[in-house]
Amino acid sequence: MTTFVIAGNTLGEALRKKILWIFFIAAAAMIVLSVSFSQFSFRGEMTIIRSLGLGLLSIVGLLITLVLGINLISVEMERKTIYTILSKPVRRYEFLLGKFLGAMMTLLIQLLLMSTVFIFLVTWKSNWDWKGSIELLKGTVMIFFQLLMVGSVAMVFSVFTTPVVNFFTTSAIYIVGNLDLTDPMMHSKLALQKMFYTALHYAIPNFSNYNIQNKLIHPEVAITGEFNYYAINVAYAVLYSSVLLIIAVLAFEKRDM
Amino acid sequence: MAIAVKTEGLTKTYRLFMQKKPVSAVSDLNVEVAEGEIFGFLGPNGAGKTTTIKMLLGLVYPTSGKAWLLGKPAGDIELKRRISYLPETPYFYDYMTGAEVLSFYGRLFGYKTEYLTPKIEELLKTVGLYGDRDKPLGQYSKGMLQRIGIAQTLINDPKLLILDEPTTGLDPLAHSDIRDLILRLRDEGKTVFLSSHQLSDVEMVCDRVAILNRGKLLKTGSLKDMLAVGHVEVRATDLNAETIEKLKEYANSVEKVANCYAISQGDGECIDRTIDLVRQCKGQIESIIPQKRTLEELFVEMIREVNK
């Protein structure tokens, strides 16, 4: 119950952050303007609109996650609000989970708002073919689960580090997670190098699994065992985030405020 | 009398980055606060007051030693239903209104709207913010924030209040209101653990105090006993030379102040003797005043002595 009170408060505060609405307005404007951009491209109009829209959802979603994630705990400490909250009958893990839940709810709302603009535009440009446009929601869902993991990474670091350090560390993990590490892992000649890539490969999730833009931009491209693909990746994201949250909770329990 | 706060050998040391020697914030602190009293927790900046308070609240873990509040170990979650805390210069979510922030803190206790609505109204009236209840906290002055901070400490009708500098930033009128409120809380049977630099406030409201310096307890006890200097000043007029000579034989001092003599002496027997001598020479007693130091004098004297 307390977790939800804190989550609701985090959501309320986050939705009042001007920066998030600037991101949203900029993304929505870019999505709408993609109609004009498509005239300058040799590629099909719908390809440009879909590609730009999904790309923007991903980038703006990442920025929102970073802005929210890196400040989750540090700002509460800096403003001393954490002292009044934790002096009430609130367990530390309830506070932490409430903050995370609130941040992820904010992300979801922002992604859904941007997706609404995007899907509406695609539907309009495809002569109100709703069926094809709704497919794009799969992209939003996968972006959300990808960012759920990024948010958990930021949460863990927010327990230990300053927002600046957290920003660079989380961003670095996001970038590395989008690289294909299989090749260097398999073909490294030095044992130490091989160990390093293997450790990265297993410790950092493969974020590129959640980038299904190719399939959504080109409907003719099919994913083999599509349902299983989504289910496995969503389950992996939930599991990975849960493990990170447990780590964050354990670290937060031991920390002096 | 039941004990509201008890610490036994409470110690906190911090290990700083790249430094071998740990820094001691609080060292072997033994304090007892009785239920229903206002206890002043004093010390210069960096004395370890806030660290101690954080240990009492379970926000900071002690390196060694233990603390109990209302018979429960510090940090106990059920205990937190019966205590409250006001941090120094509190900050609250500035997008919320005064009423919303109290509702938020109330909901952390699991209170329902039926309880909260009248309670919030009552608290806002108590701290004089009822007229500003719908203003966002971003528009509140420092004094108003301090008042809303005090209101949030009362949302759960606590048995023990831990207040860290509750009068900081308040104008004289608000200052006086908060002092009265603290006294009223004691009259209602609540215990107040008050950390403050406002020594005049502490002197006016506290029953007992503890003085801390560099993490160590210098002195604890009843304020009355600590401030008493053990002598009484009798002021008298119309004294003749012979009487003055007699007084000088046993009094600590006899000084002419304005149009009267100030005779300073120790025990009750001396006072009786002085009164008799003044009456015998047909002099007049103007006043009999037990002398005491101010808390500020005592505090400054103790800290300077230790820091020498």
Side-chain angles (χ1 to χ4, degrees):
Chain A
M1 180 63 196
T2 318
T3 303
F4 295 114
V5 174
I6 291 167
N9 179 53
T10 308
L11 174 69
E13 193 185 17
L15 290 178
R16 283 170 176 84
K17 276 188 198 291
K18 280 184 191 152
I19 183 84
L20 296 194
W21 291 107
I22 291 171
F23 285 155
F24 168 71
I25 291 165
M30 292 278 279
I31 290 168
V32 173
L33 285 172
S34 64
V35 178
S36 325
F37 297 152
S38 60
Q39 292 169 3
F40 304 108
S41 172
F42 291 113
R43 295 164 76 188
E45 185 184 40
M46 289 310 288
T47 307
I48 295 294
I49 295 172
R50 282 168 178 252
S51 153
L52 198 69
L54 287 165
L56 279 166
L57 278 178
S58 191
I59 292 167
V60 174
L62 175 67
L63 289 174
I64 291 170
T65 310
L66 286 174
V67 167
L68 293 174
I70 62 173
N71 290 311
L72 273 180
I73 305 299
S74 56
V75 166
E76 296 280 343
M77 299 274 284
E78 202 177 290
R79 298 187 303 195
K80 297 182 185 174
T81 36
I82 197 166
Y83 302 145
T84 38
I85 293 176
L86 291 182
S87 65
K88 307 279 184 266
V90 177
R91 290 175 176 87
R92 289 189 180 199
Y93 75 83
E94 290 174 326
F95 175 78
L96 204 74
L97 295 182
K99 295 300 292 178
F100 182 73
L101 196 61
M104 289 303 110
M105 276 156 58
T106 313
L107 172 69
L108 187 62
I109 289 171
Q110 293 268 346
L111 280 178
L112 287 176
L113 284 175
M114 284 187 285
S115 300
T116 307
V117 176
F118 175 47
I119 289 170
F120 183 80
L121 187 84
V122 172
T123 313
W124 171 56
K125 292 303 285 181
S126 56
N127 295 318
W128 306 105
D129 171 21
W130 283 102
K131 206 181 159 209
S133 312
I134 291 298
E135 275 281 296
L136 294 170
L137 266 180
K138 287 178 186 168
T140 308
V141 171
M142 291 306 268
I143 289 170
F144 174 74
F145 281 100
Q146 182 191 56
L147 296 175
L148 181 79
M149 289 188 285
V150 177
S152 325
V153 171
M155 184 86 204
V156 172
F157 285 116
S158 75
V159 176
F160 308 104
T161 61
T162 61
V164 177
V165 175
N166 194 349
F167 175 82
F168 287 110
T169 329
T170 307
S171 304
I173 287 176
Y174 178 78
I175 293 165
V176 174
N178 271 294
L179 301 174
D180 185 4
L181 296 172
T182 325
D183 201 43
M185 188 177 80
M186 301 296 281
H187 299 106
S188 291
K189 283 178 183 151
L190 290 171
L192 200 66
Q193 203 176 23
K194 194 167 183 156
M195 268 170 65
F196 174 73
Y197 284 119
T198 310
L200 281 186
H201 178 76
Y202 288 109
I204 297 173
N206 187 356
F207 289 126
S208 57
N209 281 348
Y210 296 81
N211 298 331
I212 55 162
Q213 280 89 332
N214 200 31
K215 189 246 177 271
L216 296 172
I217 294 164
H218 307 286
E220 64 280 6
V221 176
I223 297 175
T224 331
E226 194 178 350
F227 178 78
N228 283 348
Y229 180 84
Y230 292 134
I232 288 168
N233 280 300
V234 166
Y236 177 82
V238 172
L239 187 71
Y240 191 85
S241 300
S242 307
V243 170
L244 286 185
L245 286 178
I246 291 169
I247 294 170
V249 164
L250 292 175
F252 194 58
E253 285 289 341
K254 289 190 171 177
R255 193 190 157 152
D256 280 336
M257 298 292 148
Chain B
M1 186 171 271
I3 300 297
V5 179
K6 183 177 179 181
T7 68
E8 258 181 26
L10 201 63
T11 302
K12 181 68 190 176
T13 51
Y14 289 102
R15 207 166 272 281
L16 297 179
F17 184 63
M18 299 287 279
Q19 284 200 6
K20 278 187 181 172
K21 209 178 165 194
V23 177
S24 172
V26 177
S27 177
D28 193 27
L29 183 70
N30 296 295
V31 166
E32 278 192 10
V33 180
E35 266 185 29
E37 73 176 355
I38 303 177
F39 187 83
F41 198 53
L42 316 175
N45 292 332
K49 301 187 299 289
T50 303
T51 306
T52 305
I53 288 176
K54 284 182 180 175
M55 285 194 277
L56 295 179
L57 294 165
L59 297 171
V60 164
Y61 298 110
T63 311
S64 62
K66 285 182 177 174
W68 296 266
L69 283 82
L70 304 172
K72 298 252 181 194
D76 182 272
I77 203 82
E78 281 311 309
L79 162 73
K80 289 182 179 181
R81 297 197 165 274
R82 297 190 289 147
I83 64 169
S84 67
Y85 170 54
L86 173 72
E88 189 182 354
T89 54
Y91 180 94
F92 302 105
Y93 301 102
D94 58 9
Y95 73 89
M96 286 182 174
T97 65
E100 281 170 350
V101 85
L102 294 183
S103 167
F104 168 66
Y105 284 111
R107 281 182 293 127
L108 292 180
F109 284 91
Y111 296 144
K112 300 272 181 275
T113 317
E114 303 87 71
Y115 167 82
L116 280 175
T117 310
K119 183 75 183 172
I120 290 168
E121 197 170 300
E122 175 203 321
L123 290 177
L124 287 167
K125 282 177 182 164
T126 305
V127 296
L129 287 174
Y130 188 70
D132 299 297
R133 64 190 180 281
D134 296 326
K135 253 189 202 174
L137 297 194
Q139 292 176 22
Y140 274 28
S141 68
K142 201 177 169 192
M144 288 162 86
L145 286 174
Q146 199 74 16
R147 283 161 184 251
I148 204 77
I150 287 169
Q152 66 82 24
T153 63
L154 299 172
I155 195 86
N156 57 326
D157 198 15
K159 289 270 288 172
L160 166 67
L161 292 99
I162 299 174
L163 310 177
D164 198 353
E165 302 289 350
T167 49
T168 303
L170 296 182
D171 60 51
L173 202 66
H175 214 100
S176 159
D177 288 347
I178 298 301
R179 265 198 322 254
D180 292 344
L181 177 67
I182 291 173
L183 288 170
R184 209 161 65 229
L185 292 170
R186 185 202 30 206
D187 295 343
E188 287 170 15
K190 299 181 193 306
T191 310
V192 181
F193 189 91
L194 173 68
S195 166
S196 180
H197 280 129
Q198 306 285 338
L199 298 179
S200 56
D201 285 348
V202 173
E203 200 175 331
M204 272 190 237
V205 300
C206 288
D207 304 303
R208 293 197 315 122
V209 297
I211 301 178
L212 211 65
N213 187 45
R214 294 181 183 169
K216 286 186 178 153
L217 182 67
L218 295 184
K219 198 166 188 166
T220 182
S222 142
L223 199 56
K224 201 174 151 193
D225 295 343
M226 282 166 102
L227 298 182
V229 289
H231 63 257
V232 175
E233 187 187 85
V234 176
R235 290 202 173 196
T237 54
D238 305 329
L239 302 183
N240 57 34
E242 189 192 346
T243 309
I244 291 165
E245 282 311 309
K246 279 183 184 169
L247 287 168
K248 277 181 180 172
E249 281 170 19
Y250 66 89
N252 294 343
S253 67
V254 180
E255 287 170 23
K256 185 138 175 63
V257 181
N259 60 345
C260 63
Y261 285 91
I263 308 131
S264 173
Q265 62 250 290
D267 53 37
E269 202 181 304
C270 291
I271 300 163
D272 291 343
R273 208 165 148 191
T274 304
I275 293 168
D276 290 344
L277 279 171
V278 172
R279 281 181 179 159
Q280 276 167 23
C281 77
K282 302 231 163 64
Q284 281 205 343
I285 304 282
E286 295 289 322
S287 62
I288 302 172
I289 305 166
Q291 296 298 287
K292 63 170 195 169
R293 287 176 289 188
T294 63
L295 182 58
E296 189 174 309
E297 283 167 348
L298 174 75
F299 180 82
V300 171
E301 188 184 297
M302 284 184 75
I303 301 297
R304 284 207 176 131
E305 185 63 32
V306 172
N307 290 347
K308 256 182 196 172

